[in-house]
Amino acid sequence: MITSSLPVSVGLIGAGRMGAFHAEALARRIPEARLAAIADPAPGLAHRLAQELDCPKAYTSIDELLADSDIEAVVIATPARTHAALVVAASKANKAIYCEKPMAMTLEEADEAIAAAETASVPLQVGFNRRFDRGFRAGQEKIASGQLGTPQLLRSNTRDPKLADPSRIPQWTIFMETLIHDFDTLNWLNPGAQAIEVYATADAVIRPDFKAQGLLDTAVVLIRYDNGAVATADASFQAVYGYDVRAEVFASGGLVTMGDLLNAHSTTYTSDGASAETVRYDQHLFRDAYIDELVHFARCVRERRAPDVTGSDARAALAIALAAIKSVETGAPVRPLTSAENPGSTLLS
């Protein structure tokens, strides 16, 4: 039941690249929400973005934003290593929470974040934007309805257009911040199934000169599910032809494909052959999905219901990512830990 027709008052935490995109959407594109405050510890960053978007409040202290009684919900768009602690802090402040992926860096952190939101009875949504892309959603609905039968082979890929500065990429980023999307997508496209084995291989193929510093820029992951389905996910930090995100499910009753890197449904044919423009940026390819996931979040806050993408979904994808890392380290298949098992507390380097 909708408790109020007023827009949800949202505070943004983190005014970097993704935060600025979310801020602009909240300020100008989502009637269900109102950008009420921005916080970022970097001097001047929140204030400049707030001025640009006519946002009334800007903080360098995240604690001050969380203490602001006018703020009903927060959008967390800070570096990944800070996410879990901010989810816990926002829960204690009784704010509804939208958190960018990954929600946590360890399963122990994930469990703490989920428990904090549940204890506070606040919505917790995680930013897996492919679930809100219309093409991906249409494909998933066909699978969930049983129209295509039982999933047997699944595939998902993420290939970024350019590896700009390898020195700034933390170790294991390809699993924790890139393929984490694919792991969630594959779980979502195989409804009700649980990953039971993960085997991964990765290397520095694009910039081998940075491998000694921990860079892995190319990876392939094989996932077996308890319903017999087998999935593959691959990632590259440099696809020279554009930003390439696609998925496919081969099932007992057919096949569905999702994703398109073309910028427009137009192809040019000349004496040199055929050509088409491709998308080069994530905020262009998934612009509508990024907006729709925040629309969904605002509606869940107003209607006091659980979001479609929960902390438990984020934990399941994280378990696969951590298993993939261990597989690369050991060269062997690894069983992901379930929520009932003790994950330990080792932080990733």
Side-chain angles (χ1 to χ4, degrees):
M1 182 175 70
I2 298 176
T3 59
S4 174
S5 60
L6 295 175
V8 175
S9 178
V10 180
L12 174 77
I13 303 175
R17 183 185 76 91
M18 200 66 239
F21 183 91
H22 287 324
E24 195 272 343
L26 290 164
R28 297 173 177 170
R29 304 185 187 280
I30 302 175
E32 293 91 342
R34 176 178 70 89
L35 181 62
I38 301 172
D40 195 296
L45 192 60
H47 288 79
R48 286 194 295 272
L49 185 59
Q51 284 184 334
E52 179 184 331
L53 297 173
D54 296 321
C55 176
K57 298 177 184 178
Y59 300 100
T60 53
S61 167
I62 295 171
D63 289 340
E64 288 185 28
L65 183 146
L66 292 176
D68 188 335
S69 60
D70 292 334
I71 303 298
E72 300 173 78
V74 295
V75 168
I76 299 171
T78 53
R81 65 184 180 277
T82 67
H83 288 177
L86 287 173
V87 169
V88 172
S91 298
K92 291 178 179 178
N94 200 36
K95 312 296 186 188
I97 304 157
Y98 172 95
C99 180
E100 271 300 335
K101 55 77 196 169
M103 183 186 67
M105 300 299 285
T106 70
L107 295 181
E108 184 177 61
E109 285 184 344
D111 290 338
E112 290 173 355
I114 293 167
E118 289 178 348
T119 298
S121 297
V122 295
L124 170 58
Q125 180 177 330
V126 181
F128 288 119
N129 57 339
R130 292 177 205 184
R131 293 190 182 219
F132 294 88
D133 176 85
R134 291 167 192 176
F136 276 80
R137 177 160 284 200
Q140 196 274 344
E141 288 172 353
K142 288 183 174 67
I143 297 161
S145 70
Q147 180 179 337
L148 296 176
T150 304
Q152 297 174 344
L153 295 171
L154 302 91
R155 181 188 59 79
S156 180
N157 66 258
T158 301
R159 300 166 190 165
D160 295 332
K162 186 177 182 181
L163 178 56
D165 183 0
S167 66
R168 299 184 61 185
I169 300 174
Q171 188 180 26
W172 307 121
T173 292
I174 199 162
F175 296 109
M176 296 295 292
E177 299 191 46
T178 302
L179 280 164
I180 195 87
H181 275 297
D182 300 271
F183 301 149
D184 177 71
T185 297
L186 291 168
N187 287 345
W188 179 54
L189 294 177
N190 195 11
Q194 183 171 316
I196 58 173
E197 186 177 82
V198 175
Y199 176 74
T201 183
D203 208 338
V205 175
I206 303 161
R207 291 296 304 268
D209 51 322
F210 277 86
K211 183 176 180 178
Q213 299 180 33
L215 176 70
L216 296 172
D217 55 39
T218 306
V220 179
V221 183
L222 179 72
I223 306 166
R224 287 201 307 115
Y225 286 90
D226 60 2
N227 66 344
V230 179
T232 56
D234 73 71
S236 170
F237 285 161
Q238 186 159 291
V240 296
Y241 54 86
Y243 184 54
D244 184 2
V245 176
R246 289 172 290 131
E248 173 184 294
V249 177
F250 173 84
S252 59
L255 170 75
V256 60
T257 64
M258 292 145 277
D260 190 350
L261 71 155
L262 296 183
N263 196 36
H265 298 292
S266 173
T267 303
T268 301
Y269 300 87
T270 70
S271 59
D272 295 324
S275 64
E277 293 291 327
T278 58
V279 177
R280 303 286 170 147
Y281 198 46
D282 58 348
Q283 292 176 3
H284 295 162
L285 183 63
F286 288 115
R287 176 185 176 277
D288 291 342
Y290 282 128
I291 293 170
D292 287 347
E293 64 184 351
L294 289 180
V295 170
H296 176 75
F297 174 61
R299 289 175 179 171
C300 288
V301 174
R302 273 291 165 258
E303 297 170 11
R304 299 184 182 276
R305 60 184 172 92
D308 287 351
V309 194
T310 66
S312 295
D313 294 321
R315 190 198 190 282
L318 176 63
I320 296 175
L322 294 173
I325 290 169
K326 187 174 181 180
S327 178
V328 170
E329 291 179 323
T330 62
V334 174
R335 181 176 61 87
L337 292 176
T338 68
S339 58
E341 296 170 307
N342 182 8
S345 59
T346 302
L347 289 172
L348 296 173
S349 60

